[in-house]
Amino acid sequence: MNAPLPLKVTRETAAQAYEQVARVSNEVAGKLAARLAAETCGEVLFSSADRGRYATDASIYQVMPAGVFVPTGAPDVKTALDICRDMGVPIVPRGGGTSQCGQTVGTGLVIDHAKHMRNIVDVDVDKRTAVVEPGIVLDHLNAALKKHGLWYPVDVSTAAQATLGGMAGNNSCGSRSIAYGNMVHNVLGAEAWTSDGHLLQLGTWSGSSGKARELGAYVRTLAEELQPAIHQRWPTVMRRVGGYNLDIFDPRSERPYTTDGSVNLSHLLIGSEGTLALTKSLTLQLAELPKAKVLGVVNFPTFYRAMDAAQYIVKIGDGTLTAVELVDRTMIDLSLQNPAFAPTIRSALIGQPAAILLVEFSGASKADLLPHLKRLGELMGDLLLPDSVVEMTDDAPQKNLWEVRKAGLNIMMSLKGDGKPVSFIEDCAVPLEHLAEYTDALTEVFRKYGSKGTWYAHASVGTLHVRPILDMRREGAPKMRAIAEEASELVRKFKGAYSGEHGDGLCRGEWITWQFGPQINEAFAKIKQFMDPAGLLSPGRMVNPPKMDDTRLMRFPPAYQVIPIQTSLDWRAWDVQNNPATEQTSAPGSGGDPAQGFAKAVEMCNNNGHCRKFDAGTMCPSYRVTRDEKHLTRGRANTLRLALSGQLDGINAQDAFTSEPVREALDLCVGCKGCKRDCPTGVDMAKMKVEFLYHYKAKHGYTLKDKLVARLPDYAHWASRFAPLLNLRDKIPGLAALSEKFTGFSAKRTLPQWQSRTFFNTLHATATREELLAASKPVVLFVDTFNGYFESDNASSAVKVLQAGGYAVHIAAKTKADGKSLCCGRTYLASGMVDEAKAKATELVDTLLPFAERGIAIVGLEPSCLLTMRDEMLVMGLGEAAQTISGQALLFEEFLAREATAGKLEGLKKKLQPVDQAILLHGHCHQKAFGAVSPILDVLKLIPGAKPELIESSCCGMAGSFGYEASHYEVSMQMAELSLLPAVRKQPDAIVVADGTSCRHQIRDGAQREAVHVAVLIARQLGA
Ligand SMILES: Cc1cc2nc3c(=O)[nH]c(=O)nc-3n(C[C@H](O)[C@H](O)[C@H](O)COP(=O)(O)OP(=O)(O)OC[C@H]3O[C@@H](n4cnc5c(N)ncnc54)[C@H](O)[C@@H]3O)c2cc1C
Ligand code: SF4
Ligand code: SF4
């Protein structure tokens, strides 16, 4: 058990792989790793942390695989399959791992298709078909199809991270399935390996031959023999995804699987959850992108009436109806509590509805669709609900409302405490005429078990999502079974489908026999035996599944324990318990977490995989570069969870938190806080990294680089005196390389240039403390180390702009002068020196408190410094004073935007000269995390003629000192090249605005352009 962790198994070290892996795992794993390393080009991940990161998906389950394999292409998959067959090791295929039912967890070898197997093989625009590899993400496919006016219309909510292979595996369904159907309705063909290594070509039955033909004939015979049972037991709703599609020759779905009545053998794989074959490619039926959409929001006085109305609504629209989605009162209230969403949701409401239905019509033009909206209103009148429809015909409000519908779920999932909304009966589908009765009865069931459920989603097809709140560490498992039993009775009563969207996996596998009966279940077993006689592919799923409430398979079994930790930051807000019926949480610190709330904060990650997205937003820049699960917010949270609960094999539980696997997982986290904002459950990895570094560095020591970075505010005043000397590092050849050896700062980087004349050693005509307190328009300017010592011009510009606006500006300074400047503690936090950061923050708070208490704004220029006052300083144990400061702390642009809105900047506006250049804006990650980007746009728009354009970028890659470090240089540049640098290069004449010191440096290094702080640009437009 003494092998060094994490294991690095590569082709070069294949010869040692057996010994390495066998020592920490077992002989079979050792042999498997050695063969994979020697015979493939893929990544062979067998360390305990790697396996742990692939032991979970968005379900409640956790099963440790023997190892993980990341193929570089189809030949690697085939070789891995052959090796596994030789060795009798099971395979669990995986895409984005966003399944909610445990489909992607299992012993054996997990094969991750998402990293490399994501090519679009072919698009036939005329035929509207595409051939894709299984690892491509739906949004990425649709982005590529957009230019052809086409899309793949199975629009799952996880479109930004779900892969087509995974969607096919689960027979996924989108919000618009009423118009387009499920996966099974939109797949035309598949190439897939059976476990004996045969590559099946699955397409139309009439065109089939060879083994595919044999398979089809076999299934047809089975289905014919079982026709009476199928007709008796098979749910006829469209949303039936449980079991195998034994009905392809005689579809029982209310929507036929093919439009021309033909039989397609690839449909056998759809919904088979990786148990029948490994998908190599899929041929997809594409659809024309709708040209116009309109939305009618129907307001209902009771939930029951909303549910009852769905059956009538779906009949209108003459084929243009594309969605009927539910938002219930809980969701409405959650959205109203969120300042960002409140105006949008309010615009959709009439009075205080108990529920709303979002009814969407799509077609060639808005004019064509308007009569359908009108008809919707009439229908509501017929149902005795006149004037209950809010019509939305413009695109923007529609888009905003759809965003709110998604965000409501996210807020629901962010419930703190051990009780969580659990998905296990979350997608039963019932015929629409029974929807009202079904939801009513199930709500009663929840009540009976002391829980409650929030209802949302697909009213159009009778599949409403609902997750009762259960505490899986305590009495959750038996309650889950009891609720499932009662829900199943209701589903049977209303002739519905128990598994209607998210698949069977571990939580619904055992219900397949219940749904279809023993005969059909036996036929499923025969299909499995025919396709996978060796039982290699996801064994124990679909056929012979375990019990849903087997706690040995769960992420939080009753034996789950957390290793005690004394935290440096205050995590008590997470250390709470909740009441499942009311969702009220207990007092901070009362949750019983031995890690003082840190473990519970980590456990907020429910593995939904939203951090795998590549679209707008910041989360997660390191994953976007490496595409490794390890460098994903989810991967990091899982690594921390495994460490904190002593589940990293081969590592002493007490040492696990400060171990190498955890350091590795967090190494490329740039602390951008993208996850703080974008993660649905608010996992704040940047803060977690600070906590980790505190413990890690305390144990392993600080490097010279750590000290140089952290203590910059302490030595900057002294160093600036030797500016010319220190700047020689970037002037004399060889010095940068030498300094890299000693300090770890990359020789490929220039360092920020020291100035002899700094903001702090220059006199400014600013207000004294007394003048400020007497002023009618007072403002305190907090000048940070970076702007004060390296880019004084930014601070001087800010003074100039504020004074031009008529403000009395006071520069915050130490009450007891010691030659140093005030500091927020940011650089210390970045190096894990939390105690020193607290000391700096305490001094800052003490100095600023008298101003904050008088309601005077405290304005800062460097986003990461100023926003520390609104974030980390609140968890440093500084009490009410820190809260008071936080309430007054504003970025320069936030302050100006606020004042402009209040009409206080009219004088300043008149003084601004017009600008005729394009302006590009790059938002600092922390600005994005705090919603502080739009104020910069607002402020820039004060300049006559300015049309600022926001660059859709994630982190610039510099992230404080991260990008300066030799070990991170390459990754840092790759992050910048994702979108920021190409956007800057594309507009060579544009003014580039970036408020972050390191962002400006990265832009200079990568695009050889001088970006400016917004204060500088505004000051420039004021003239001399
Ligand atoms: C918040 C949230 C919202 C969701 N919303 C929806 C929704 O709107 N509609 C919906 O249908 N689902 C939804 N899901 C469930 C899930 O996102 C979808 O089922 C998604 O399609 C899964 O894609 P994936 O790439 O993550 O697949 P994975 O979870 O990785 O895999 C899914 C299945 O496919 C199999 N598989 C993967 N690749 C292959 C391959 N190459 N060969 C054979 N088998 C393979 C796996 O073994 C597994 O059984 C949601 C999940 C979450 C967490
Ligand atoms: S970190 Fe957040 S977004 Fe990522 S999987 Fe966990 S909960 Fe989802
Ligand atoms: S802080 Fe940024 S880099 Fe770190 S996990 Fe969150 S999104 Fe990723």
Side-chain angles (χ1 to χ4, degrees):
M1 296 292 272
N2 296 324
L5 287 166
L7 295 171
K8 297 252 187 292
V9 181
T10 63
R11 211 175 176 126
E12 292 70 40
T13 61
Q16 294 92 51
Y18 166 71
E19 200 194 333
Q20 273 196 8
V21 174
R23 275 168 71 195
V24 291
S25 201
N26 58 51
E27 286 212 11
V28 176
K31 283 184 189 153
L32 180 63
R35 284 198 61 184
L36 287 168
E39 297 170 38
T40 73
C41 303
E43 290 164 54
V44 181
L45 309 175
F46 275 62
S47 77
S48 166
D50 278 320
R51 292 188 290 122
R53 285 188 278 264
Y54 282 87
T56 51
D57 52 18
S59 68
I60 51 173
Y61 299 102
Q62 172 176 303
V63 180
M64 281 290 166
V68 179
F69 180 61
V70 186
T72 57
D76 277 348
V77 180
K78 171 69 170 57
T79 309
L81 174 62
D82 292 343
I83 295 171
C84 285
R85 189 176 54 254
D86 276 2
M87 297 184 57
V89 174
I91 290 175
V92 183
R94 176 164 164 133
T98 69
S99 287
Q100 293 197 14
C101 311
Q103 289 94 320
T104 68
V105 302
T107 53
L109 183 72
V110 172
I111 300 186
D112 177 350
H113 293 79
K115 183 168 177 184
H116 297 294
M117 296 198 51
R118 52 188 170 87
N119 294 306
I120 299 174
V121 182
D122 183 45
V123 176
D124 188 327
V125 176
D126 296 330
K127 288 192 186 147
R128 292 191 187 158
T129 60
V131 180
V132 298
E133 289 187 332
I136 189 167
V137 167
L138 176 60
D139 268 0
H140 302 181
L141 172 65
N142 279 335
L145 294 173
K146 199 171 176 192
K147 60 177 178 282
H148 304 300
L150 298 172
W151 73 315
Y152 188 65
V154 184
D155 58 337
V156 290
S157 312
T158 41
Q161 54 269 10
T163 64
L164 266 297
M167 290 170 63
N170 285 351
N171 192 3
S172 295
C173 330
S175 294
R176 295 173 176 85
S177 64
I178 187 168
Y180 300 102
N182 312 343
M183 278 303 283
V184 70
H185 301 102
N186 293 278
V187 171
L188 299 173
E191 282 184 302
W193 291 283
T194 44
S195 58
D196 60 4
H198 186 91
L199 185 63
L200 278 176
Q201 305 286 344
L202 298 171
T204 56
W205 163 239
S206 58
S208 65
S209 60
K211 193 146 182 208
R213 185 86 192 167
E214 278 173 39
L215 170 66
Y218 185 70
V219 170
R220 187 167 68 171
T221 307
L222 279 177
E224 280 171 358
E225 282 169 5
L226 287 173
Q227 203 204 45
I230 293 176
H231 280 222
Q232 190 204 346
R233 302 291 296 242
W234 205 277
T236 53
V237 290
M238 182 176 83
R239 289 303 199 95
R240 184 279 315 159
V241 304
Y244 296 138
N245 294 328
L246 180 59
D247 63 334
I248 56 169
F249 287 93
D250 176 18
R252 307 300 299 152
S253 167
E254 58 192 323
R255 183 187 182 102
Y257 295 150
T258 58
T259 45
D260 58 4
S262 61
V263 173
N264 194 305
L265 297 178
S266 67
H267 293 169
L268 275 172
L269 292 191
I270 311 303
S272 66
E273 301 185 2
T275 59
L276 297 182
L278 288 181
T279 308
K280 179 177 178 242
S281 73
L282 291 163
T283 305
L284 308 172
Q285 177 69 67
L286 308 177
E288 198 182 339
L289 266 172
K291 293 192 172 60
K293 289 179 186 171
V294 296
L295 192 63
V297 185
V298 190
N299 286 245
F300 291 91
T302 64
F303 182 78
Y304 190 92
R305 287 184 76 178
M307 294 298 88
D308 194 44
Q311 58 187 310
Y312 307 109
I313 294 175
V314 294
K315 295 194 177 118
I316 64 173
D318 296 334
T320 63
L321 186 94
T322 42
V324 183
E325 294 277 299
L326 167 74
V327 179
D328 80 352
R329 187 70 226 177
T330 310
M331 290 278 193
I332 293 171
D333 286 338
L334 289 171
S335 310
L336 284 171
Q337 284 161 23
N338 182 317
F341 299 133
T344 302
I345 191 78
R346 242 182 250 124
S347 70
L349 303 181
I350 299 171
Q352 299 260 325
I356 54 176
L357 289 179
L358 277 52
V359 184
E360 183 189 79
F361 303 94
S362 307
S365 73
K366 298 218 187 231
D368 289 349
L369 300 173
L370 291 180
H372 301 303
L373 264 189
K374 188 160 174 273
R375 174 71 196 106
L376 178 65
E378 288 163 1
L379 172 67
M380 287 304 119
D382 297 345
L383 295 174
L384 305 179
L385 286 172
D387 304 322
S388 58
V389 181
V390 175
E391 295 187 356
M392 292 191 179
T393 53
D394 291 344
D395 293 340
Q398 291 184 49
K399 188 169 169 282
N400 291 344
L401 195 57
W402 284 117
E403 288 303 319
V404 170
R405 136 90 171 87
K406 280 195 223 161
L409 166 64
N410 294 343
I411 300 170
M412 182 180 95
M413 291 308 297
S414 62
L415 180 66
K416 288 175 183 158
D418 293 346
K420 301 284 180 201
V422 178
S423 59
F424 62 103
I425 44 144
E426 79 288 0
D427 61 354
C428 302
V430 296
L432 286 188
E433 61 270 28
H434 303 303
L435 197 55
E437 226 183 314
Y438 164 72
T439 47
D440 212 30
L442 196 52
T443 301
E444 269 311 310
V445 172
F446 296 153
R447 224 170 267 143
K448 180 172 156 190
Y449 292 98
S451 184
K452 92 175 227 211
T454 297
W455 296 90
Y456 65 97
H458 322 304
S460 57
V461 285
T463 309
L464 289 177
H465 294 326
V466 65
R467 299 178 179 198
I469 297 169
L470 297 175
D471 182 348
M472 298 312 291
R473 298 168 207 217
R474 296 177 181 87
E475 77 298 352
K479 274 196 182 174
M480 179 168 97
R481 170 157 299 282
I483 293 173
E485 304 270 1
E486 299 213 22
S488 67
E489 284 307 313
L490 293 170
V491 170
R492 176 148 291 155
K493 177 175 165 196
F494 298 123
K495 295 192 171 29
Y498 186 73
S499 182
E501 180 171 306
H502 296 145
D504 297 323
L506 285 164
C507 76
R508 274 188 288 271
E510 66 166 291
W511 296 88
I512 294 176
T513 314
W514 171 90
Q515 177 86 71
F516 297 96
Q519 281 178 295
I520 297 176
N521 194 49
E522 204 177 305
F524 291 160
K526 286 181 178 163
I527 293 175
K528 168 78 177 166
Q529 175 69 18
F530 188 91
M531 300 274 285
D532 178 25
L536 216 59
L537 301 173
S538 294
R541 306 290 183 269
M542 309 287 288
V543 171
N544 298 327
K547 291 282 179 203
M548 68 184 292
D549 50 350
D550 184 341
T551 53
R552 289 168 306 177
L553 303 174
M554 290 185 184
R555 208 184 316 163
F556 296 108
Y560 183 86
Q561 277 194 339
V562 167
I563 316 291
I565 293 184
Q566 288 293 319
T567 59
S568 65
L569 298 174
D570 180 358
W571 297 90
R572 281 175 306 163
W574 282 267
D575 190 12
V576 297
Q577 294 297 348
N578 59 44
N579 178 327
T582 63
E583 297 183 21
Q584 292 296 315
T585 48
S586 61
S590 65
D593 182 354
Q596 301 187 323
F598 181 58
K600 289 206 188 299
V602 167
E603 291 158 8
M604 288 301 290
C605 172
N606 67 357
N607 279 260
N608 62 57
H610 193 52
C611 38
R612 296 176 68 91
K613 71 191 175 58
F614 273 73
D615 60 350
T618 311
M619 171 175 74
C620 170
S622 44
Y623 172 70
R624 290 184 193 188
V625 169
T626 68
R627 289 181 186 257
D628 286 336
E629 186 71 26
K630 179 166 71 178
H631 299 131
L632 181 66
T633 319
R634 175 174 76 179
R636 293 179 175 129
N638 277 325
T639 314
L640 283 169
R641 180 178 55 79
L642 293 165
L644 291 169
S645 54
Q647 295 186 74
L648 288 179
D649 290 347
I651 301 179
N652 182 322
Q654 299 300 328
D655 299 330
F657 180 40
T658 50
S659 66
E660 182 57 14
V662 179
R663 191 205 62 78
E664 265 215 354
L666 290 171
D667 184 39
L668 298 191
C669 169
V670 291
C672 66
K673 305 191 186 183
C675 43
K676 180 186 172 78
R677 186 189 66 161
D678 297 347
C679 163
T681 66
V683 169
D684 185 352
M685 194 53 64
K687 208 176 279 169
M688 289 173 189
K689 186 168 179 180
V690 172
E691 187 68 55
F692 162 75
L693 283 175
Y694 173 80
H695 294 268
Y696 183 84
K697 295 287 178 183
K699 184 166 173 192
H700 299 278
Y702 296 94
T703 61
L704 175 61
K705 175 175 59 60
D706 293 333
K707 291 174 192 165
L708 285 173
V709 170
R711 304 213 161 112
L712 178 69
D714 280 335
Y715 64 78
H717 68 295
W718 172 86
S720 61
R721 289 189 220 147
F722 302 96
L725 188 66
L726 292 173
N727 291 340
L728 289 180
R729 184 258 187 205
D730 291 344
K731 295 194 174 105
I732 297 183
L735 267 192
L738 191 67
S739 84
E740 177 176 318
K741 281 211 175 100
F742 290 106
T743 63
F745 292 121
S746 170
K748 294 182 186 141
R749 292 274 187 202
T750 56
L751 291 182
Q753 292 296 289
W754 291 99
Q755 298 178 326
S756 304
R757 196 173 153 77
T758 71
F759 182 81
F760 295 120
N761 63 20
T762 312
L763 275 180
H764 303 278
T766 49
T768 62
R769 183 188 158 91
E770 290 66 34
E771 285 165 346
L772 180 87
L773 296 178
S776 59
K777 286 175 84 178
V779 62
V780 174
L781 184 65
F782 164 63
V783 180
D784 56 274
T785 305
F786 305 99
N787 285 302
Y789 287 103
F790 297 104
E791 296 185 80
S792 310
D793 193 30
N794 297 343
S796 311
S797 300
V799 172
K800 180 176 168 183
V801 173
L802 291 168
Q803 288 180 337
Y807 294 90
V809 183
H810 172 71
I811 310 297
K814 291 198 174 207
T815 40
K816 280 191 201 137
D818 60 1
K820 301 178 194 172
S821 53
L822 282 169
C823 167
C824 64
R826 160 69 37 206
T827 57
Y828 294 91
L829 289 173
S831 303
M833 298 183 189
V834 179
D835 293 334
E836 287 87 336
K838 279 182 190 173
K840 296 285 170 195
T842 306
E843 188 182 24
L844 185 66
V845 166
D846 289 346
T847 310
L848 297 178
L849 191 60
F851 306 117
E853 280 176 339
R854 284 173 171 78
I856 298 174
I858 295 153
V859 169
L861 299 168
E862 175 60 32
S864 54
C865 293
L866 185 282
L867 293 171
T868 301
M869 298 187 210
R870 303 221 300 248
D871 196 358
E872 288 87 349
M873 270 168 54
L874 301 178
V875 290
M876 288 183 180
L878 305 180
E880 269 306 303
Q883 288 288 351
T884 309
I885 303 286
S886 144
Q888 298 304 325
L890 291 171
L891 282 164
F892 174 77
E893 54 275 6
E894 289 180 307
F895 176 72
L896 287 190
R898 184 187 84 178
E899 299 293 279
T901 308
K904 295 183 183 170
L905 289 189
E906 294 311 307
L908 179 79
K909 274 158 72 178
K910 283 190 195 118
K911 294 178 198 162
L912 289 170
Q913 306 293 314
V915 68
D916 53 8
Q917 267 174 282
I919 299 175
L920 278 178
L921 170 65
H922 164 70
H924 184 285
C925 296
H926 294 183
Q927 284 174 316
K928 291 177 197 155
F930 283 84
V933 174
S934 61
I936 320 175
L937 290 167
D938 295 344
V939 168
L940 288 170
K941 284 180 198 156
L942 297 179
I943 306 172
K947 293 193 186 73
E949 191 187 318
L950 182 65
I951 301 172
E952 268 302 341
S953 51
S954 176
C955 177
C956 71
M958 196 61 115
S961 66
F962 179 88
Y964 290 104
E965 294 161 17
S967 57
H968 295 144
Y969 174 77
E970 297 298 337
V971 169
S972 162
M973 292 316 294
Q974 286 167 20
M975 286 182 192
E977 290 294 352
L978 282 173
S979 53
L980 172 61
L981 296 181
V984 170
R985 288 188 201 112
K986 219 165 151 188
Q987 297 202 43
D989 298 323
I991 300 168
V992 183
V993 174
D995 285 354
T997 304
S998 44
C999 311
R1000 288 191 293 276
H1001 204 113
Q1002 183 77 314
I1003 292 168
R1004 188 185 311 128
D1005 276 5
Q1008 292 73 50
R1009 295 271 291 282
E1010 290 297 328
V1012 293
H1013 193 284
V1014 64
V1016 170
L1017 182 59
I1018 304 274
R1020 214 184 270 169
Q1021 298 313 114
L1022 283 172

